[in-house]
Amino acid sequence: MRRCVVCRQMLEKSTLVRVVKSPEGDSFAVDDTGKSPGRGAYICKSVECLAKVSKSRGFDRSLKTKVPAEIYIQVEEAPKNHE
């Protein structure tokens, strides 16, 4: 179980999108496998959360550093759940 950085709900890891900061702290990536090394932050695939993530800067808060805009764009383009 992991917590979404926007809605703060605890959900199964497999239903979330993971953004990972490398162990060196110099790069970020959207982790499709869920197994990349480094510090991770998660967001659920709901339309509302994906739309709000850029404005809330949830990944910046969770990873304690500035996350590049390209990562937010990649996450917003992730497949969505229309629940």
Side-chain angles (χ1 to χ4, degrees), residues 20-33:
V20 63
K21 177 174 74 169
S22 69
E24 298 80 26
D26 60 350
S27 65
F28 298 87
V30 175
D31 180 16
D32 296 327
T33 66

Side-chain angles (χ1 to χ4, degrees), residues 6-25:
V6 177
C7 68
R8 315 292 291 163
Q9 283 186 307
M10 294 292 288
L11 301 164
E12 291 291 325
K13 186 177 172 181
S14 61
T15 65
L16 302 166
V17 175
R18 180 177 188 235
V19 170
V20 63
K21 177 174 74 169
S22 69
E24 298 80 26

Side-chain angles (χ1 to χ4, degrees), residues 28-74:
F28 298 87
V30 175
D31 180 16
D32 296 327
T33 66
K35 297 180 181 181
S36 296
R39 173 84 174 153
Y42 297 83
I43 183 169
C44 63
K45 296 177 184 178
S46 75
V47 175
E48 295 83 15
C49 287
L50 291 170
K52 290 179 185 177
V53 71
S54 292
K55 191 170 188 173
S56 72
R57 306 305 286 178
F59 293 126
D60 292 6
R61 240 186 359 264
S62 185
L63 298 173
K64 298 178 181 165
T65 189
K66 178 135 177 63
V67 175
E70 301 86 51
I71 298 298
Y72 282 100
I73 292 167
Q74 288 178 18

